[in-house]
């Protein structure tokens, strides 16, 4: 079981069940919303419990929505319509997560101001 929260504590969540190795997303939407990169893992919706009135969803495309705290702005969740899974921000996990980064995604969209040199798979 993992616990997570936004910066102000207005949104909290718990994750049960196995947590896949997180990815680091380099797409321009994640970079804009997070300020740099966004690392997340994902679980079936049934394994994620979210509480907090300040949670807001921004529909970033016809297919996907991005969940964030309307009070402090923390970017917490990403969800694709009809997929039945929700991605949650690794940076929002409180305490040790027990997982290790697995891969980089959307690296074709990465910014030109950094390099990826940790040897993990890139796509
Ligand atoms: Zn907050
Ligand atoms: Zn992204």
């Amino acid at each position: 079981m993992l616990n997570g929260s936004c910066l102000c504590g207005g949104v909290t969540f718990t994750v049960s069940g196995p947590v896949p190795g997180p990815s680091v997303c380099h797409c321009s939407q994640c970079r804009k919303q997070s300020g740099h990169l966004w690392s997340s893992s994902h679980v079936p919706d049934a394994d994620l419990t979210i509480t907090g009135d300040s949670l807001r969803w921004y529909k970033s495309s016809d297919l996907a929505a991005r969940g964030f705290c309307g009070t402090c702005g923390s970017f917490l969740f990403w969800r694709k319509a009809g997929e039945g899974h929700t991605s949650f921000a690794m940076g929002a996990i409180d305490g040790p997560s027990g997982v290790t980064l697995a891969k980089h995604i959307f690296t074709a969209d990465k910014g030109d101001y950094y390099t990826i040199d940790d040897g993990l798979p890139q796509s």
Side-chain angles (χ1 to χ4, degrees):
M1 173 89 76
L2 297 179
N3 297 299
S5 58
C6 66
L7 181 58
C8 76
V11 179
T12 59
F13 62 94
T14 60
V15 179
S16 59
V19 174
S23 62
V24 180
C25 188
H26 298 258
C27 84
S28 60
Q29 292 190 347
C30 285
R31 290 196 295 118
K32 284 183 181 294
Q33 193 168 15
S34 70
H36 183 38
L37 310 173
W38 196 60
S39 178
S40 66
S41 185
H42 59 92
V43 291
D45 290 339
D47 289 349
L48 179 68
T49 303
I50 305 172
T51 55
D53 293 338
S54 59
L55 179 66
R56 301 286 179 272
W57 287 95
Y58 169 64
K59 210 167 179 306
S60 52
S61 74
D62 286 344
L63 291 176
R66 294 164 168 269
F68 64 98
C69 174
T71 301
C72 70
S74 294
F75 169 26
L76 301 170
F77 306 111
W78 185 92
R79 187 177 271 170
K80 194 170 182 180
E83 210 170 46
H85 284 71
T86 299
S87 297
F88 59 91
M90 289 308 301
I93 298 300
D94 295 307
S97 69
V99 298
T100 305
L101 284 182
K103 60 184 176 181
H104 296 272
I105 60 174
F106 288 96
T107 55
D109 281 352
K110 75 181 271 301
D112 65 357
Y113 59 94
Y114 61 91
T115 55
I116 305 169
D117 55 9
D118 58 12
L120 293 174
Q122 301 183 21
S123 61

